[in-house]
């Protein structure tokens, strides 16, 4: 009786006060069919969820509709299908096909050249390397103390080093050069009238200084020709200006030719004149030391005047040309 009463109460409670009163037969039939109807959405959602992995990426419209399935259940099933298909679709777009081969990286540098040009590049680099090593070796032997190689092949080393690659220790010496040396020259000129006149002093060092000042790319001649020629002369002559060995005589010839070139450039001989002799002198002034050194040096310049040198051998061509020109003018007259 208790079980029956409870079941009877449950049936009456489901009808509720707002529901219609059904006969006993109809109520029993509604009671037996209600579970199937109430469970339909759950069963439909289960079937749709089971079908989602198989049809990954299916469109929302492809979700099967079942009679009696609520609209909310169909929307949830379609969203589950989209979420399940999204990773696979994105992977299909981003991932490259498994059989696709990557293009080879382009070659650069020497590897990009043809084999013939690669061989040429290797040979050129080898020649440059050998030349650099030979030059470094020559300079090393020039600066190194006297040894067996310099005694036997010193002339070859000097021919390679002088005058372009000469090295010395003046910059790094304990007492580097602290003097300004100005080299000047003047000439005796035979004029077209047969007279002899002496020119004034031409400051060749000042001319080179003016050519270098403000010039970002001065020539090697303007920087070193006169300076090295004078150093060559001083190193190969004694205190009485007498040459020591063949290099002393060679240094005098070098200075005479430089003097003729510079005087001709300045027009020292004048129209129809010829330079007969030249004379050099140097004016040496000490560089003033810094105030903090406490060193005292003389500020008076030291003048060294060389004897007159004949330049007849160098001007023989100029004289013969002048004589020939005079003969031609006389014949024409």
């Amino acid at each position: 009786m208790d079980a029956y009463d409870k079941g009877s109460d449950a049936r009456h409670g489901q009808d509720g006060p707002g529901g219609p009163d059904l006969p006993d037969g109809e109520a029993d039939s509604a009671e037996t069919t209600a579970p199937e109807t109430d469970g339909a959405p759950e069963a439909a959602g289960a079937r749709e969820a089971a079908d989602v992995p198989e049809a990954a990426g299916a469109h929302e419209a492809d979700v099967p509709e079942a009679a009696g399935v609520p609209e909310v259940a169909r929307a949830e099933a379609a969203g589950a299908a989209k979420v399940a298909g999204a990773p696979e679709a994105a992977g299909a777009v981003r991932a490259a096909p498994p059989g696709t081969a990557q293009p080879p990286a382009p070659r650069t540098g020497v590897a990009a050249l043809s084999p013939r040009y690669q061989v040429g590049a290797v040979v050129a680099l080898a020649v440059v390397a050998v030349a650099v090593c030979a030059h470094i070796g020559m300079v090393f032997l020039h600066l190194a103390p006297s040894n067996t190689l310099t005694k036997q092949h010193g002339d070859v080393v000097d021919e390679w080093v002088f005058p372009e690659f000469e090295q010395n220790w003046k910059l790094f010496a304990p007492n580097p050069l602290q003097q300004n040396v100005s080299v000047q020259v003047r000439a005796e000129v035979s004029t077209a009238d047969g007279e002899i006149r002496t020119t004034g002093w031409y400051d060749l060092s000042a001319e080179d200084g003016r050519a270098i000042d403000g010039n970002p790319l001065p020539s090697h001649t303007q920087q070193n020709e006169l300076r090295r020629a004078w150093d060559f002369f001083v190193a190969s002559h004694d205190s009485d200006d007498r040459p020591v060995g063949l290099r002393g005589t060679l240094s005098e010839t070098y200075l005479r030719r430089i003097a003729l070139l510079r005087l001709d450039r300045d027009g020292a001989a004048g129209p129809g004149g010829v330079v007969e002799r030249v004379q050099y002198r140097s004016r040496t002034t000490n560089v003033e030391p810094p105030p903090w050194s406490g060193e005292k040096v003389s500020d008076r310049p030291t003048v060294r005047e060389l004897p007159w040198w004949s330049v007849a051998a160098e001007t023989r061509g100029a004289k013969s040309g002048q004589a020939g020109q005079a003969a031609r003018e006389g014949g024409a007259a």
Side-chain angles (χ1 to χ4, degrees):
M1 291 295 293
D2 295 338
Y4 178 79
D5 293 339
K6 291 180 181 180
S8 176
D9 293 338
R11 285 196 303 273
H12 292 295
Q14 289 179 357
D15 295 337
D21 295 335
L22 298 177
D24 292 339
E26 294 180 1
D28 294 338
S29 116
E31 185 176 359
T32 57
T33 58
E36 295 178 2
T37 305
D38 294 341
E42 297 179 1
R47 287 195 301 273
E48 291 173 357
D51 295 337
V52 166
E54 298 178 1
H59 194 268
E60 184 178 355
D62 297 332
V63 180
E65 298 183 7
V69 178
E71 195 71 24
V72 176
R74 290 199 301 272
E76 292 178 357
K82 290 181 180 180
V83 172
E88 296 182 5
V93 173
R94 295 180 182 177
T100 304
Q102 296 294 334
R107 296 183 300 176
T108 59
V110 179
L113 301 175
S114 63
R116 181 176 63 180
Y117 288 104
Q118 287 181 359
V119 172
V122 171
V123 172
L125 291 176
V127 171
V128 172
V130 171
V132 171
C133 293
H135 173 72
I136 294 176
M138 291 290 189
V139 175
F140 172 78
L141 292 175
H142 173 69
L143 296 176
S146 179
N147 52 67
T148 305
L149 287 176
T150 55
K151 291 178 180 178
Q152 294 180 357
H153 308 287
D155 295 338
V156 177
V157 174
D158 291 342
E159 289 179 1
W160 176 266
V161 172
F162 291 107
E164 298 291 340
F165 307 114
E166 181 183 4
Q167 306 289 324
N168 55 63
W169 298 99
K170 290 183 179 179
L171 179 61
F172 304 100
N175 187 20
L177 185 64
Q178 300 176 359
Q179 295 175 330
N180 289 326
V181 181
S182 175
V183 179
Q184 302 170 354
V185 67
R186 66 178 178 177
E188 281 187 355
V189 179
S190 61
T191 63
D193 300 335
E195 299 179 357
I196 300 296
R197 67 179 180 90
T198 302
T199 65
W201 290 102
Y202 290 86
D203 195 339
L204 305 182
S205 298
E207 292 178 0
D208 288 347
R210 286 191 296 268
I212 295 172
D213 189 17
N215 186 358
L217 297 173
S219 68
H220 181 72
T221 302
Q222 294 168 344
Q223 297 180 79
N224 298 317
E225 182 185 55
L226 181 64
R227 179 181 62 84
R228 294 300 303 124
W230 186 256
D231 290 345
F232 183 23
F233 172 83
V234 172
S236 58
H237 283 69
D238 57 16
S239 58
D240 296 328
D241 299 328
R242 290 178 300 188
V244 178
L246 296 177
R247 290 178 62 84
T249 305
L250 179 63
S251 66
E252 291 183 4
T253 304
Y254 191 27
L255 280 177
R256 284 198 298 267
R257 291 179 178 177
I258 291 176
L260 288 175
L261 290 174
R262 300 295 184 90
L263 292 172
D264 182 67
R265 180 194 305 170
D266 295 333
V274 177
V275 176
E276 298 289 346
R277 297 194 305 170
V278 296
Q279 184 184 26
Y280 273 95
R281 75 175 182 183
S282 66
R283 188 173 183 271
T284 304
T285 307
N286 293 321
V287 177
E288 185 178 357
W292 48 264
S293 66
E295 184 180 357
K296 301 297 182 180
V297 296
S298 175
D299 56 354
R300 297 182 59 182
T302 302
V303 178
R304 179 179 181 178
E305 192 170 300
L306 304 183
W308 285 94
W309 291 337
S310 174
V311 291
E314 287 78 7
T315 59
R316 186 177 298 114
K319 288 183 177 180
S320 61
Q322 182 181 2
Q325 182 179 1
R328 287 193 299 271
E329 291 177 355

